[in-house]
C-alpha cells in the first residue's frame, strides 16, 4: 500500500507541475509543506516524477498513470517493490538490460519510439549518435568529481575510509554513483570540485594555450555562473590573473564564497549584462576569454529531464541570438593573438558549430581546437567547446 501511495502522490504532483521552476525546487517545496513524508518516501516519489519526465515527448497521448508505469519500467533495472503496479506479463519481461525493456514496451504500445523522447534530432550536431543519445535520457547520470592539485592521495584515502565506491577515469577525475554522500567526507571546492566529466575536459583546451604561451595569463570568465570553469582555469594555467563576471549580483556573491573555500584570493569581479551594446572594460585586454554561454542546456537534460519535457524548438534560435550578442560584445576585449574559449552544454548545431561559423565570418578568429564532448555514452553530460585565436 505504501508504494501505491507513492505512485498516487507522484501522479498528483506531475499534474500540478508546470515547469516554471526546476523540478527539484518544486518537490522541495512540496515536501516542506507535507512533513509526513520521510526520507524513503521523498526518494521514491521524486524518483517516479523524474522517471516520468525521462520519457520526454514519447507517448504523450497516454494518461499520466500509464506514462509513469512505462517510465518506471524503463528506468529501473530491477522490479523491486513496484510489482503491485504491473500485470504478470510486465513482471515476467522485466530485464536488467534496457534494450530488452524497450523492446517489450514497443510490443505493448505501438506508438512508443525512443526517437520521440527527443524530437529534434535534425537540429543536433552531426557528431552525435542519435539513437544512443535518445536512449541515454532514460538513464540517470553519475556523479563526477575533479580532484584539485595535490589532493589526490587524501581524497582517495577519505573515500576508502568511508567505504564510498569510486572509479578513477583519469588522474584527476573520479566517477561515483549518483546518490553518493560526499559532503561530510570531502572538503568540497578545497579538495574536490563537483564537476561533470565533459566539463572537466575543458582543461584540454586550456592546456593547448599553456603549451603555446609562456607569459602571464590574463583570463576573463565572462559568464562565470557558479565558477566551475574559473576554478578549472586557476588549477590549469600556471600564472593566471583572473576576472569573473555575471549578469546576476547574487551569483557573484555566491561565487566569491566558493572562491574563498577554493583558496582563490586574487581576482577581479563585476556584474554586467553582456547583451547590452557599447560594453567595454576600461584599460583591460585579456589573453583568454572563457565564454560558457547561456544555452538550451540540451546536453544536460538527462540530469534535468523536466527541461526536455517542456522545451520547444523555437527556443534554439532564441538562445543562438543571445549568444551572438554576448560574443560580439566580449571579443573586442580580446588581445591580439588572444584566445576565445566558447563553451555550451548544448547538442544543437545552431548553438555550437553555427556559432563557430558566425565567429569566423564576423571576427578575425581562427579555429585552434573544436570538439563535441560526448557524455551520453558514459552517463555524463554532452557539451561543445571551441578554442579560437584572434589574428
Amino acid at each position: 500500500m505504501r508504494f501505491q501511495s507513492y505512485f498516487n502522490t507522484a501522479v498528483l504532483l506531475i499534474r500540478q507541475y508546470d515547469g516554471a521552476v526546476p523540478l527539484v525546487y518544486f518537490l522541495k517545496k512540496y515536501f516542506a509543506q507535507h512533513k509526513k513524508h520521510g526520507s524513503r518516501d521523498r526518494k521514491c516519489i521524486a524518483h517516479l516524477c523524474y522517471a516520468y519526465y525521462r520519457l520526454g515527448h514519447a507517448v504523450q497521448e497516454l494518461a499520466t498513470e500509464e506514462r509513469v508505469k512505462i517510465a518506471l519500467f524503463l528506468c529501473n533495472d530491477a522490479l523491486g517493490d513496484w510489482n503491485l503496479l504491473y500485470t504478470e506479463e510486465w513482471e515476467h519481461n522485466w530485464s536488467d538490460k534496457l534494450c530488452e525493456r524497450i523492446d517489450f514496451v514497443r510490443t505493448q504500445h505501438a506508438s512508443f519510439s525512443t526517437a520521440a523522447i527527443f524530437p529534434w534530432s535534425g537540429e543536433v550536431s552531426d557528431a552525435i549518435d542519435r539513437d544512443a543519445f535518445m536512449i541515454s535520457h532514460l538513464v540517470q547520470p553519475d556523479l563526477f568529481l575533479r580532484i584539485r592539485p595535490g589532493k589526490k592521495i587524501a581524497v582517495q584515502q577519505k573515500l576508502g575510509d568511508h567505504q564510498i565506491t569510486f572509479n578513477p577515469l583519469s588522474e584527476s577525475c573520479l566517477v561515483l554513483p549518483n546518490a553518493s554522500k560526499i559532503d561530510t567526507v570531502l572538503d568540497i571546492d578545497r579538495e574536490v570540485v563537483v564537476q561533470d566529466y565533459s566539463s572537466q575536459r575543458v582543461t584540454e583546451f586550456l592546456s593547448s594555450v599553456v603549451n603555446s604561451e609562456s607569459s602571464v595569463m590574463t583570463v576573463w570568465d565572462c559568464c562565470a555562473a557558479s565558477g566551475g570553469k574559473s576554478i578549472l582555469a586557476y588549477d590549469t594555467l600556471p600564472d593566471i590573473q583572473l576576472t569573473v563576471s555575471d549578469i546576476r549580483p547574487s551569483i557573484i556573491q555566491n561565487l566569491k564564497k566558493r572562491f574563498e573555500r577554493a583558496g582563490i584570493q586574487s581576482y577581479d569581479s563585476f556584474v554586467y549584462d553582456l547583451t547590452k551594446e557599447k560594453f567595454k572594460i576600461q584599460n583591460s585586454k585579456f589573453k583568454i576569454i572563457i565564454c560558457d554561454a547561456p544555452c538550451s542546456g540540451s546536453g544536460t537534460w538527462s540530469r534535468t529531464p523536466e527541461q526536455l519535457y517542456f522545451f520547444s524548438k523555437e527556443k534554439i534560435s532564441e538562445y543562438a541570438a543571445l549568444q551572438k550578442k554576448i560574443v560580439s560584445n566580449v571579443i573586442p576585449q580580446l588581445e591580439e593573438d588572444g584566445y576565445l574559449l566558447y563553451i555550451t552544454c548544448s547538442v544543437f548545431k545552431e548553438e555550437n558549430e553555427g556559432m563557430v561559423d558566425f565567429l569566423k565570418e564576423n571576427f578575425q578568429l581562427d579555429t585552434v581546437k573544436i570538439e563535441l564532448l560526448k557524455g551520453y555514452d558514459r552517463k555524463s553530460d554532452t557539451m561543445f567547446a571551441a578554442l579560437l585565436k584572434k589574428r
Side-chain angles (χ1 to χ4, degrees):
M1 293 300 295
R2 183 190 302 123
F3 283 83
Q4 183 66 56
S5 176
Y6 296 156
F7 179 85
N8 295 340
T9 300
V11 169
L12 176 65
L13 291 173
I14 289 166
R15 287 173 174 163
Q16 294 176 350
Y17 180 60
D18 61 4
V21 299
L23 181 58
V24 63
Y25 297 134
F26 175 81
L27 293 175
K28 185 177 181 179
K29 181 178 180 180
Y30 169 79
F31 291 134
Q33 295 173 343
H34 299 81
K35 299 186 183 298
K36 64 180 181 180
H37 297 297
S39 176
R40 186 186 187 190
D41 303 338
R42 296 193 299 271
K43 182 178 179 180
C44 289
I45 293 169
H47 175 61
L48 288 168
C49 293
Y50 275 96
Y52 174 87
Y53 291 111
R54 290 191 181 283
L55 283 181
H57 294 252
V59 288
Q60 287 193 331
E61 74 279 5
L62 298 180
T64 302
E65 291 87 347
E66 190 62 26
R67 288 190 92 240
V68 173
K69 290 180 182 179
I70 294 172
L72 185 63
F73 182 86
L74 292 173
C75 295
N76 279 28
D77 290 341
L79 176 59
D81 294 312
W82 298 106
N83 60 312
L84 80 163
L85 301 176
Y86 299 91
T87 64
E88 289 186 7
E89 185 180 11
W90 282 72
E91 292 181 41
H92 177 73
N93 284 278
W94 207 303
S95 167
D96 59 357
K97 295 181 176 62
L98 176 56
C99 60
E100 293 181 359
R101 300 199 301 274
I102 289 173
D103 288 342
F104 175 74
V105 170
R106 287 185 178 129
T107 68
Q108 302 298 301
H109 296 280
S111 63
F112 176 78
S113 168
T114 53
I117 293 175
F118 188 103
W120 311 284
S121 61
E123 308 298 323
V124 304
S125 297
D126 294 336
I128 287 180
D129 180 331
R130 285 161 172 75
D131 289 338
F133 177 67
M134 305 301 173
I135 293 173
S136 72
H137 292 90
L138 299 172
V139 181
Q140 184 179 38
D142 283 329
L143 171 67
F144 295 87
L145 303 178
R146 182 175 66 83
I147 305 174
R148 300 199 64 205
K151 306 297 183 183
K152 179 179 178 179
I153 295 176
V155 167
Q156 293 189 350
Q157 181 67 49
K158 287 183 178 181
L159 292 174
D161 290 345
H162 288 80
Q163 298 182 329
I164 297 177
T165 303
F166 67 90
N167 179 38
L169 287 185
S170 68
E171 283 296 309
S172 59
C173 180
L174 302 179
V175 55
L176 296 81
N178 189 272
S180 300
K181 302 297 183 183
I182 61 168
D183 292 0
T184 58
V185 176
L186 300 175
D187 195 342
I188 306 299
D189 291 331
R190 188 181 72 84
E191 293 181 319
V192 298
V193 176
V194 178
Q195 189 169 44
D196 183 80
Y197 175 68
S198 294
S199 290
Q200 294 187 41
R201 290 192 57 200
V202 169
T203 191
E204 299 169 16
F205 293 77
L206 294 172
S207 296
S208 297
V209 179
V210 173
N211 293 336
S212 61
E213 305 287 344
S214 58
S215 59
V216 173
M217 293 292 178
T218 51
V219 178
W220 176 25
D221 188 354
C222 66
C223 302
S226 62
K229 302 297 190 307
S230 293
I231 301 175
L232 181 67
Y234 181 88
D235 290 345
T236 303
L237 302 174
D239 194 355
I240 182 173
Q241 293 180 1
L242 182 62
T243 298
V244 294
S245 65
D246 199 274
I247 190 174
R248 299 153 293 185
S250 61
I251 291 293
I252 291 297
Q253 288 302 314
N254 291 334
L255 185 147
K256 289 179 178 180
K257 295 176 183 178
R258 190 179 188 189
F259 277 7
E260 183 177 356
R261 294 194 300 270
I264 301 176
Q265 299 177 339
S266 179
Y267 63 93
D268 294 319
S269 65
F270 64 93
V271 176
Y272 196 83
D273 181 355
L274 295 175
T275 63
K276 292 183 178 179
E277 296 180 359
K278 298 180 180 180
F279 169 78
K280 186 176 182 180
I281 305 176
Q282 294 296 329
N283 304 317
S284 292
K285 293 281 187 176
F286 299 93
K287 191 67 178 181
I288 303 174
I289 296 178
I290 301 173
C291 182
D292 191 354
C295 69
S296 62
S298 47
T300 69
W301 285 344
S302 56
R303 296 187 187 277
T304 55
E306 73 276 15
Q307 294 186 31
L308 164 62
Y309 183 86
F310 287 102
F311 188 77
S312 61
K313 182 180 176 180
E314 292 73 23
K315 294 181 181 179
I316 302 174
S317 294
E318 293 176 11
Y319 279 111
L322 180 66
Q323 291 150 7
K324 288 177 180 178
K325 287 182 180 180
I326 292 173
V327 295
S328 296
N329 284 333
V330 302
I331 287 175
Q333 301 295 144
L334 199 61
E335 290 182 5
E336 297 299 324
D337 295 322
Y339 296 85
L340 173 69
L341 179 52
Y342 175 78
I343 306 167
T344 75
C345 51
S346 171
V347 298
F348 294 125
K349 284 184 288 189
E350 190 172 352
E351 296 184 275
N352 296 340
E353 295 88 349
M355 282 300 301
V356 172
D357 291 341
F358 168 81
L359 290 167
K360 294 171 69 175
E361 290 170 2
N362 292 276
F363 303 93
Q364 293 183 323
L365 296 170
D366 295 321
T367 302
V368 176
K369 181 178 174 66
I370 181 171
E371 186 174 355
L372 183 81
L373 304 172
K374 300 176 185 177
Y376 55 83
D377 57 350
R378 59 170 70 245
K379 298 175 70 174
S380 68
D381 299 338
T382 294
M383 299 179 61
F384 175 84
L387 183 66
L388 302 103
K389 186 174 183 178
K390 186 176 181 181
R391 292 193 296 273

